[in-house]
Amino acid sequence: MAEDVKNVNENKEEQYSLNDDRRVKVLSPGALVIKRFLRNRLAVLGLIMLITMFIFSFVGGMVVPYGQDEQFYTYTYLDKEYVGVTRNNDLRYAVAEGQQFPTILQAQFLLALGKGNDTFTYKDVDYKTVNEGPDFYSISTADGTMLAIAYKDIVNAADGMAEPSFSVKYEGLKAYVNGASSFVADGKEYQLDEDSNILLDGETIGYISRFVVAARENGVVLTRDFKERLEEALDSGVQEFSYTGEDGVEHTYPISYDASAQVWSVKEETKTYVYSSYEKPSLKHPLGTDNNGMDMLVRLMYGGRVSLIIGFIVVIIETVLGVIMGGISGYFGGWIDNLIMRLVDIFYCIPSMPIIIILGAAMDNMQVDPQIRMLYLMLILGFLGWAGIARMVRGQILSLREQEFMTAAEACGISVSRRIFKHLIPNVIPQLIVSCTMGLGSVILTEATLSFLGLGVKFPFASWGNIISDVNNSFVMTTYWFIWIPAGVCLLITVLGFNFVGDGLRDAFDPKMKR
Amino acid sequence: MAGVKELAEGVGRAHPEPLNKSPEQVDVEMEKRKERIEQEIHTNKKRSGSLEIENNYTPVTYDDQYILMVNALKKYFPIKGGMVTKTIGWVKAVDGVTFNLRRGTTMGLVGESGCGKTTTGRAILRLGGEKSGGQVLFNGQEIYDLSPKEMRALRTKMQIIFQDPFSSLSPRLPVGEIIGEAVREHNLVPKSEFNDYIDKVMDDCGLQPFHKDRYPHEFSGGQRQRICIARALALNPEFVVCDEPVSALDVSIQAQIINLLKELQQKRSLTYLFISHDLSVVEHISDVVGVMYLGNLVEYGSTADIFRNPLHPYTKALFSAIPIPDPKAKMNRIVLEGSIPSPANPPSGCKFHTRCAQCMERCKVEAPKQIEVEKDHYVVCHLYDK
C-alpha cells in the first residue's frame, strides 16, 4: 500500500518535472524580500555593522572579565609627613604644688630676664629668680617660697607613665644641668643615666630632652625608643633615619630640616591606592580608563547594551501603540478616525525635546533610582513617538481596505477579525519594519543626546551618550581622545547601520520604487 | 511673411488631426463641463430639501425558475459637502434595475463605462453597504434582510470574480490559502479531504496542485484569473457574478478563460451574471443580455434577439460600434453625441434623451416604462410604447 502511494507520487513527480514551472524555485514574498535585501550591498554592509555592534555589546559584555562599574586603582608610595621634631626654644613653666604662676607673672619674669634682673615686682609683691643652669630658672617669692621653674630642656613622661611631679622635674633638671647621676625628690631616690633617662628603682619614668617630637597624625604613638633614636639621628645631622620597629621591619625615614621654622620633618613612605583615571590605552585596558578609573572598553560594551535595549523597547512601545491607534483609525474610519488623527496632530505639535528635558530634570529632583529612571525614559520616549507610526498605519490600512482582495474576502464571507489579521496586517508589516528600523536609529540618537545632557541614563550605568558627556572640557577632549572617540564611532556605526538596513529593507519590500 | 505665420500656427497645434478636435474646441468643451458641474452643484443645493430616495415599486413574487430576481434595485452614493459634512445629493449609480435570471443561464450586462454595471453586480451580492431601494431575491430570499451571520453563510452560494486579477489576490498569502481560506472558514469539506478538494478545484480551473505554495506575484494575469475563479468556485456557489473577468487579459487568454467559465458552467450548472463592455465576448457567452445606460437597464432580452434586432436607440448605437474584421466592410456607425451625463444629476424623463437621435418631446418629460416587445425581449423606450 505504502509502495503504491510512493509510486503514485513518483508518477506525479515525473509528470510535473516536465513542466517548466517546476524548475523555478518557489519563493514566498518574505524570501523574495530577503533575496533582494541581500543583493543590496549597502544594506548588507549595514547589517554587518549592526551584527558587529550587537555582538560587541551583548556578547562582549559577557565575555570581558570586568564589570561596567569596576574601578581600577594602583598602589603608590607617598612620602607622608610622619613626625615633626622641633628644638624647644621657648621657656616652659612648671608650677609648684599649691602655688600659682599666672601668665602675667610669666610675662613679668620674662621682662626681668630680658633686663638681666634677678628680681621683679608685681602688685607690690617681690619675686626672686635664680639661674640654676643654662636656660633653667627657678622663681620664688621674696620669702623664699618656690613658685615655679622655667626651663627649656623638657622633662617628658616615659611611655605609659604618669606626668612627673614638680619636684621630680625640678630636681631632675637640677641634676641634669649639674651632670649629677642621681637626685632625690619627694623622698625617693631617682637615677639619671647618660641618656638623660630618669629612673626610679631601675624603671624609666621619664626623660629629659630639648627636642619636641610629635606625630603628625592623630592616633600615632611614638615609642620612647623611636624618639631617642630620632634625636640621636638629628644630633648627628644625617639625612636619613633607619629604625627597626617592634615588628622587626626596618623602615627608612628621610629627614628634612626647615630652617625658617626650625622644624625637622621626618617623612614616612605610605602605601596608598590611586584610581587609574584617564589611563592611556594598554593591553590591560585596550581603550584606557575613564575619569573614575573604569575600563572604557567594558563601559562601551555595556553602554551599547543599554543604548540598543532602550532603542528596541522604545520602538516596540511606539509600534504597538501606533499599530493599535492607526489600525483602529484606518479600519473603522468616521469620527473615530477623526478623533485619533487629531490626537496624532496634537502629539506632532508637542515639542518632545523640551518635555523630555523637563521630565528628566523632574526625575533628577525626585532622585529616581537610575534603573527605574531608564524605564521611565523608555516609556516617555515611546509615548511621545507613536504618532508617526499611527499615521502611516492608518494610511496603509485606508488604501488596503479599498483593495479588491478585501472585497473578495468579504464576498467569501470571511470574518472581520480574520480579514484584519490575515489580510490587512500582513500587508502593513513591510512598511512597519522599515519605519521601525529607521526609528531605532533616531531613538538611539535621542537617548544619546539626553544622556549627554545628563538627563537620560545615569551613572553608574553606562550609555554611549553619558560616556561622551564625560568630555566636558576641551582639555579632556584634546588629551584623552580614547574617552569619546570610540563611543562616538559606536554611535555612528549603529545609527548608520540602522539607516542602511532600513533603506535596504524599503527597497527590498518595494522593488518598484527606484531611487 | 505668410509662410512664417502658417508655420507658427502649425507649431501651436502639435497633433492637429489625431485628436479630431482643435484646442479651441477642447477648451469650449471644458468650459461647458465646468458650467455643467457648477450647475449640478447648484441644483443639488437647491434640491437639498428633497433628498429622500423615492422607493415605490411593486414587490415581485418568487418564481422558482429564477435563481435571482432583481426588482427596481437602486444604489445611490451620497455626495458629501457643506460646512458641516452632510449629504447634499446622490450619485445614482444604479437607478431602478429590474431583471430576472434563470437557473443555469448566463446573463450578459453591457454598457459603456460608468453606467453602473459593476455597481449592479456588487449590489446584487450585497457588497459595499446597503441598497438604496428595490429588491434582490436570491432563491426567493431578500438578501438585504439577512443578518450578518446568515449573510456570511449565504456568501458560499453567490460569488464574484473581479476584473483586476492583480489587486483581487492578497499578495501575502500563498495560492492554496487564498483558494482554501473560505472553504475552511465555512467548514465546507472535512479536514481530511481538504487538500484533495483544493487540488480538485485547482485542477478544474486549470491550475496544478504544486501551484498551491506559490504566491500571486509569481503568476501571469491569466493564471491569476484562474486563481480567482478557483477561489470563487471552491465554495461551490450557485451563482457567480463575473465582473469583467477578461477585460484585463490579452485576447488569447480571454478565450481560454471564457471557455473555462463555460466549461465550469456546464460541469456545475452555474448561473453567471457576466458584466462586460466587450460585446463579442458577451455574445459568445450569454444566453440573455441586458444593456445598461446611466443606472438603468434600457433593453433586456435573449442574446439572439438583441443582437439580431436591437430596439433601443442606445443599444443600436452600442452595437454599431462592434468592429467587423473586414477592412472593406462599410460600417454604419451611429456616433452618439456628447458624453454620458453625470449620474449625480441625470436628465429628466428618459435619461438617454440628451443623446438620442430619435428624441421626442415626450422623452424629455416622461420616463419610459419597461415594455415587452417580443417574448422575453424588454425595452425601455417611448418609441415602442404603442
Side-chain angles (χ1 to χ4, degrees):
Chain A
M1 188 64 200
E3 237 178 63
D4 280 357
V5 172
K6 206 182 157 191
N7 266 336
V8 168
N9 279 345
E10 269 172 15
N11 283 343
K12 269 190 183 172
E13 290 282 327
E14 262 169 37
Q15 195 182 325
Y16 295 144
S17 62
L18 294 172
N19 193 327
D20 264 357
D21 290 348
R22 189 70 179 161
R23 294 182 198 151
V24 183
K25 212 180 154 209
V26 178
L27 286 176
S28 68
L32 268 180
V33 165
I34 292 168
K35 204 173 146 192
R36 279 197 293 265
F37 180 83
L38 292 178
R39 226 181 275 151
N40 185 340
R41 273 192 207 155
L42 210 58
V44 172
L45 177 71
L47 194 66
I48 291 171
M49 282 153 84
L50 285 186
I51 290 173
T52 315
M53 286 328 289
F54 270 81
I55 291 175
F56 175 73
S57 303
F58 288 92
V59 182
M62 281 187 268
V63 171
V64 289
Y66 316 136
Q68 66 164 322
D69 46 6
E70 187 177 334
Q71 288 180 297
F72 292 90
Y73 46 81
T74 46
Y75 286 102
T76 44
Y77 290 94
L78 281 183
D79 280 346
K80 213 160 117 199
E81 287 265 307
Y82 184 51
V83 177
V85 181
T86 43
R87 202 182 154 80
N88 188 25
N89 284 320
D90 295 327
L91 280 172
R92 300 199 172 196
Y93 303 91
V95 184
E97 275 123 61
Q99 300 297 329
Q100 282 184 336
F101 194 65
T103 326
I104 190 80
L105 284 182
Q106 290 176 11
Q108 293 294 334
F109 162 69
L110 285 176
L111 273 175
L113 200 63
K115 287 176 190 157
N117 297 341
D118 53 357
T119 55
F120 63 94
T121 309
Y122 180 66
K123 283 197 175 170
D124 303 332
V125 183
D126 294 329
Y127 299 92
K128 197 171 73 180
T129 61
V130 182
N131 189 348
E132 309 239 11
D135 296 329
F136 179 39
Y137 306 89
S138 64
I139 300 119
S140 53
T141 49
D143 55 6
T145 315
M146 181 63 70
L147 268 183
I149 50 171
Y151 54 91
K152 285 189 178 175
D153 294 312
I154 302 162
V155 183
N156 298 290
D159 298 337
M161 289 295 161
E163 182 77 16
S165 65
F166 170 74
S167 50
V168 172
K169 281 184 179 173
Y170 181 42
E171 296 300 334
L173 281 171
K174 265 210 292 205
Y176 178 68
V177 295
N178 298 331
S181 65
S182 69
F183 62 92
V184 178
D186 300 337
K188 287 177 193 159
E189 184 161 348
Y190 295 88
Q191 273 75 43
L192 190 67
D193 67 9
E194 290 161 358
D195 294 332
S196 315
N197 288 329
I198 300 166
L199 300 128
L200 176 67
D201 305 332
E203 196 188 358
T204 311
I205 60 149
Y207 59 95
I208 299 169
S209 160
R210 183 56 78 87
F211 293 103
V212 182
V213 179
R216 290 291 190 196
E217 262 175 42
N218 288 337
V220 176
V221 180
L222 299 173
T223 58
R224 161 83 186 116
D225 191 42
F226 179 83
K227 287 180 182 171
E228 245 169 39
R229 296 287 180 78
L230 183 58
E231 281 162 23
E232 278 168 21
L234 291 178
D235 280 340
S236 57
V238 290
Q239 294 292 307
E240 237 177 29
F241 161 62
S242 308
Y243 176 71
T244 312
E246 282 166 14
D247 50 1
V249 182
E250 190 179 337
H251 292 280
T252 309
Y253 304 91
I255 299 168
S256 59
Y257 179 65
D258 182 356
S260 66
Q262 295 188 321
V263 175
W264 287 267
S265 64
V266 180
K267 303 240 168 100
E268 187 196 24
E269 269 193 341
T270 39
K271 191 179 177 188
T272 94
Y273 63 85
V274 193
Y275 289 122
S276 11
S277 59
Y278 297 135
E279 203 174 89
K280 289 256 182 292
S282 64
L283 224 60
K284 195 180 167 203
H285 305 297
L287 288 176
T289 56
D290 70 356
N291 191 16
N292 301 304
M294 300 176 183
D295 187 88
M296 279 314 296
L297 185 67
V298 176
R299 277 189 80 73
L300 216 55
M301 286 169 178
Y302 279 85
R305 211 183 265 202
V306 166
S307 290
L308 289 170
I309 286 177
I310 287 185
F312 272 98
I313 292 182
V314 168
V315 165
I316 287 169
I317 294 173
E318 277 180 7
T319 312
V320 168
L321 271 175
V323 168
I324 291 174
M325 299 298 256
I328 290 173
S329 188
Y331 191 79
F332 292 102
W335 67 270
I336 299 176
D337 179 29
N338 233 329
L339 187 79
I340 292 177
M341 282 304 112
R342 295 302 80 76
L343 200 65
V344 166
D345 288 343
I346 290 169
F347 266 86
Y348 258 110
C349 297
I350 292 176
S352 49
M353 200 42 103
I355 290 228
I356 296 167
I357 288 174
I358 290 166
L359 288 173
M363 283 195 282
D364 271 353
N365 200 32
M366 290 188 289
Q367 295 177 331
V368 180
D369 179 68
Q371 208 151 9
I372 295 173
R373 197 192 163 96
M374 260 192 312
L375 201 75
Y376 283 146
L377 182 73
M378 294 177 210
L379 287 177
I380 293 165
L381 287 177
F383 276 102
L384 287 173
W386 61 271
I389 293 181
R391 195 173 266 185
M392 189 207 75
V393 169
R394 171 190 174 259
Q396 283 293 320
I397 289 200
L398 271 186
S399 82
L400 285 171
R401 207 176 55 164
E402 302 305 321
Q403 295 267 316
E404 265 181 349
F405 65 82
M406 288 307 291
T407 319
E410 195 194 343
C412 288
I414 285 162
S415 61
V416 173
S417 63
R418 224 184 131 75
R419 261 185 265 163
I420 294 178
F421 291 110
K422 278 292 252 190
H423 294 252
L424 280 183
I425 299 292
N427 284 296
V428 184
I429 279 177
Q431 280 81 1
L432 263 186
I433 291 176
V434 172
S435 82
C436 287
T437 324
M438 299 284 212
L440 267 169
S442 69
V443 168
I444 287 174
L445 276 187
T446 312
E447 183 272 321
T449 313
L450 287 174
S451 299
F452 179 79
L453 294 175
L455 299 162
V457 178
K458 286 277 188 179
F459 190 80
F461 292 102
S463 106
W464 289 334
N466 72 18
I467 287 173
I468 297 175
S469 79
D470 272 0
V471 189
N472 43 20
N473 60 55
S474 61
F475 177 73
V476 176
M477 193 177 86
T478 48
T479 321
Y480 306 119
W481 58 269
F482 50 86
I483 302 287
W484 58 278
I485 288 197
V489 169
C490 283
L491 215 50
L492 179 89
I493 290 178
T494 310
V495 176
L496 207 61
F498 275 121
N499 284 343
F500 282 168
V501 169
D503 264 345
L505 280 174
R506 197 187 50 209
D507 292 348
F509 278 123
D510 190 2
K512 279 169 267 173
M513 209 184 71
K514 290 266 177 271
R515 271 169 296 173
Chain B
M1 238 359 239
V4 174
K5 202 179 170 188
E6 269 173 33
L7 263 176
E9 273 174 2
V11 169
R13 291 182 281 133
H15 306 285
E17 286 319 305
L19 276 174
N20 256 339
K21 278 171 189 166
S22 69
E24 293 79 27
Q25 268 177 304
V26 173
D27 279 352
V28 168
E29 272 183 26
M30 288 296 282
E31 277 305 308
K32 275 185 186 166
R33 204 176 150 76
K34 262 185 206 163
E35 269 170 31
R36 204 174 69 213
I37 291 167
E38 270 163 26
Q39 205 185 344
E40 267 166 29
I41 293 168
H42 189 65
T43 44
N44 276 332
K45 268 183 191 159
K46 263 202 297 190
R47 283 187 316 191
S48 60
S50 61
L51 276 173
E52 292 284 305
I53 301 165
E54 275 182 50
N55 195 14
N56 40 358
Y57 59 91
T58 16
V60 286
T61 42
Y62 175 54
D63 183 345
D64 67 0
Q65 64 170 318
Y66 298 117
I67 186 168
L68 183 73
M69 298 177 86
V70 179
N71 183 27
L73 177 66
K74 287 183 182 177
K75 177 78 184 173
Y76 291 0
F77 296 104
I79 303 166
K80 302 270 185 189
M83 285 289 282
V84 200
T85 314
K86 59 175 184 187
T87 309
I88 56 164
W90 299 103
V91 174
K92 298 171 178 175
V94 179
D95 195 12
V97 167
T98 305
F99 65 86
N100 299 326
L101 189 52
R102 279 200 180 80
R103 278 175 210 285
T105 60
T106 302
M107 175 175 169
L109 202 55
V110 295
E112 64 194 305
S113 290
C115 70
K117 305 186 295 287
T118 300
T119 313
T120 309
R122 293 193 182 200
I124 287 168
L125 296 181
R126 200 182 173 181
L127 289 174
E130 294 302 301
K131 63 182 177 180
S132 305
Q135 280 178 302
V136 181
L137 300 182
F138 182 74
N139 283 334
Q141 172 70 52
E142 168 60 62
I143 62 161
Y144 280 91
D145 288 347
L146 294 172
S147 70
K149 206 180 160 191
E150 290 168 321
M151 192 62 222
R152 270 185 61 201
L154 188 69
R155 294 234 178 262
T156 59
K157 298 285 156 222
M158 43 209 294
Q159 277 300 309
I160 182 164
I161 298 164
F162 290 97
Q163 172 178 6
D164 182 4
F166 292 88
S167 74
S168 59
L169 297 173
S170 181
R172 309 232 142 241
L173 290 177
V175 168
E177 183 60 26
I178 290 175
I179 296 170
E181 190 184 18
V183 178
R184 205 181 296 135
E185 182 96 355
H186 293 287
N187 284 322
L188 292 183
V189 289
K191 261 186 188 163
S192 53
E193 294 166 29
F194 180 75
N195 275 327
D196 291 337
Y197 179 75
I198 300 299
D199 285 354
K200 190 178 160 288
V201 171
M202 287 175 74
D203 190 47
D204 282 353
C205 298
L207 294 163
Q208 308 279 13
F210 63 80
H211 286 146
K212 251 196 290 191
D213 301 324
R214 301 201 174 173
Y215 287 84
H217 66 87
E218 294 171 72
F219 292 93
S220 66
Q223 279 175 312
R224 279 159 169 257
Q225 201 57 283
R226 284 170 194 272
I227 295 166
C228 291
I229 294 169
R231 171 173 62 192
L233 295 187
L235 293 173
N236 203 11
E238 295 171 16
F239 169 61
V240 179
V241 173
C242 305
D243 185 0
E244 311 203 25
V246 294
S247 51
L249 309 173
D250 71 60
V251 181
S252 60
I253 307 294
Q254 277 188 12
Q256 283 179 20
I257 298 290
I258 296 290
N259 291 336
L260 174 67
L261 286 172
K262 280 189 96 169
E263 192 187 308
L264 289 168
Q265 182 173 37
Q266 279 161 14
K267 247 191 219 172
R268 301 180 172 225
S269 61
L270 294 166
T271 309
Y272 288 144
L273 177 66
F274 195 93
I275 298 166
S276 181
H277 54 247
D278 189 336
L279 294 166
S280 46
V281 169
V282 168
E283 189 180 4
H284 178 68
I285 198 169
S286 310
D287 302 307
V288 182
V289 172
V291 182
M292 276 190 82
Y293 182 77
L294 208 58
N296 288 99
L297 205 58
V298 292
E299 193 168 351
Y300 169 59
S302 71
T303 311
D305 285 347
I306 288 205
F307 277 83
R308 181 177 42 81
N309 180 24
L311 298 174
H312 197 279
Y314 176 67
T315 317
K316 286 177 184 163
L318 198 63
F319 285 8
S320 77
I322 301 174
I324 303 162
D326 178 4
K328 285 172 198 154
K330 199 186 171 210
M331 282 178 64
N332 292 319
R333 184 132 184 239
I334 305 165
V335 180
L336 292 177
E337 295 202 352
S339 58
I340 190 163
S342 163
N345 186 24
S348 58
C350 174
K351 284 179 181 173
F352 188 58
H353 82 253
T354 52
R355 299 166 79 190
C356 185
Q358 287 142 294
C359 176
M360 302 177 287
E361 275 310 304
R362 185 184 174 196
C363 299
K364 292 179 183 169
V365 264
E366 193 188 331
K369 295 221 160 45
Q370 205 174 53
I371 307 152
E372 189 168 8
V373 180
E374 301 168 76
K375 190 185 179 303
D376 285 337
H377 188 172
Y378 301 90
V379 69
V380 184
C381 185
H382 287 305
L383 284 175
Y384 304 95
D385 193 6
K386 301 283 151 53

